[in-house]
Amino acid sequence: MATSSTVTTDLVAHRYGDKVAEATSEGLGAAGHAIGTAWAASKLRKALNPKSVLKPSKLAKAAVKAAAEHKAKSSK
């Protein structure tokens, strides 16, 4: 993304001038930070809510295994 920002800033500087290019660079930097923050928040949310990471098939297999173990213990 840094390369895209640099190229875009250079194109804007060539066409509209250095002041507009500086504003463009700051805007792209802010957008990059916002995307990075959203990504980190998404990762943090997944880390704090591990239920969303588990797949239903894994939960079903675990339930079947637990039921089989419980049944085996009960029959003894």
Side-chain angles (χ1 to χ4, degrees), residues 1 9 14 35 37-38 42 48 54-55 57 60 63 72:
M1 185 160 170
T9 303
H14 178 70
I35 291 170
T37 301
S42 171
L48 294 176
L54 293 176
K55 294 182 179 177
S57 60

Side-chain angles (χ1 to χ4, degrees), residues 71-76:
K71 187 176 180 182
K73 287 180 183 178
S74 298
S75 64
K76 287 184 178 181

Side-chain angles (χ1 to χ4, degrees), residues 1-24:
M1 185 160 170
T3 303
S4 299
S5 177
T6 303
V7 169
T8 303
T9 303
D10 288 345
L11 288 172
V12 170
H14 178 70
R15 184 161 178 137
Y16 299 106
D18 290 334
K19 290 230 178 220
V20 177
E22 185 178 331
T24 301

Side-chain angles (χ1 to χ4, degrees), residues 17-61:
D18 290 334
K19 290 230 178 220
V20 177
E22 185 178 331
T24 301
S25 177
E26 289 176 9
L28 290 173
H33 288 298
I35 291 170
T37 301
W39 181 261
S42 171
K43 291 290 193 175
L44 184 61
R45 187 172 48 96
K46 282 186 179 180
L48 294 176
N49 187 9
K51 290 188 294 186
S52 66
V53 178
L54 293 176
K55 294 182 179 177
S57 60
K58 287 186 179 182
L59 289 174
K61 287 178 184 177

